[in-house]
């Protein structure tokens, strides 16, 4: 029986990957030289939502939002997941700066 209040290793792993996806999207935006406003225009996702995602204030932005942002950045979902997985495996995940 699982203890209450303590997430399983699998749940922690998913959370780490989710944070890595957010960090990867933020880094890709900066690498592309885009402002949040411009990314908003390209993706159709509000600038407020993009800011909340990048500040890790939104824990589950949803598939459609992530897909729209990734697409606007020229990332396939496979590439996004690969980059995020590498970030988790190589150095862990840190909060965006």
């Amino acid at each position: 029986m699982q203890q209450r209040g303590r997430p399983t290793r699998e749940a922690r792993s998913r959370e780490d990957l989710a944070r890595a996806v957010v960090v990867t999207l933020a880094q890709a935006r900066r690498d592309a030289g885009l402002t949040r406003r411009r990314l908003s225009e390209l993706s159709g996702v509000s600038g407020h939502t993009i800011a909340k995602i990048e500040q890790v204030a939104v824990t589950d932005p949803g598939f459609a939002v992530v897909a729209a942002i990734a697409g606007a950045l020229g990332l396939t979902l496979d590439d996004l997941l690969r980059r995020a997985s590498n970030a988790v495996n190589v150095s862990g995940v840190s909060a965006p700066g």
Side-chain angles (χ1 to χ4, degrees):
M1 181 176 217
Q2 182 181 338
Q3 294 177 346
R4 292 184 140 204
R6 183 169 184 193
T8 64
R9 182 176 302 175
E10 183 178 319
R12 286 190 308 271
S13 178
R14 282 192 308 265
E15 290 170 5
D16 288 346
L17 183 58
R19 279 190 295 276
V21 165
V22 168
V23 170
T24 300
L25 287 172
Q27 186 61 50
R29 178 187 62 77
R30 288 189 296 271
D31 290 348
L34 297 174
T35 63
R36 289 176 179 160
R37 174 179 277 170
R38 182 64 181 138
L39 180 55
S40 173
E41 293 166 356
L42 294 171
S43 67
V45 175
S46 78
H48 177 76
T49 297
I50 290 170
K52 289 291 192 182
I53 291 168
E54 289 187 0
Q55 294 164 3
V56 196
V58 173
T59 57
D60 185 9
F63 177 80
V65 170
V66 169
I69 294 170
L73 292 168
L75 292 173
T76 66
L77 292 175
D78 285 340
D79 190 39
L80 175 61
L81 185 58
R82 180 186 52 77
R83 289 184 188 190
S85 294
N86 287 342
V88 169
N89 293 335
V90 171
S91 62
V93 178
S94 61

